Amino acid sequence: MCGIFAIFSSQLSDAELRRLLIECSSKLRHRGPDWSGYKMIPQNPTGTPPVPLAHGIGHERLAIMDPESGEQPLVSPDGS
């Protein structure tokens, strides 16, 4: 029983988005109290698309299998 959430196309500042991701994560903590993480994709400072939008994804993990080292990757090996 894990929890996952995402925020797409946000016009929040990076600091506000980070705060919201942490808040959402804490509300799902009961779904997976063994590991927590989030990843932010910051606003595009160049303005492309026309309004710079930020995104974020997060999850809570319940360690049923591999409880010692079951950290979940939120990015690929190349960082994307």
Side-chain angles (χ1 to χ4, degrees), residues 4-80:
I4 188 168
F5 60 93
I7 300 169
F8 295 106
S9 301
S10 171
Q11 293 184 32
L12 296 172
S13 70
D14 291 344
E16 292 170 319
L17 180 59
R18 181 178 295 108
R19 183 198 53 74
L20 184 56
L21 288 168
I22 292 169
E23 180 182 325
C24 291
S25 185
S26 70
K27 290 181 179 183
L28 287 178
R29 186 81 17 95
H30 68 282
R31 298 285 310 229
D34 298 314
W35 194 83
S36 176
Y38 68 90
K39 172 70 178 164
M40 288 180 48
I41 297 88
Q43 295 180 353
N44 182 348
T46 65
T48 307
V51 177
L53 302 174
H55 314 287
I57 187 168
H59 81 287
E60 298 291 319
R61 180 177 184 268
L62 178 62
I64 295 172
M65 298 185 71
D66 195 14
E68 300 299 319
S69 63
E71 187 175 303
Q72 302 294 305
L74 292 175
V75 295
S76 65
D78 69 358
S80 62

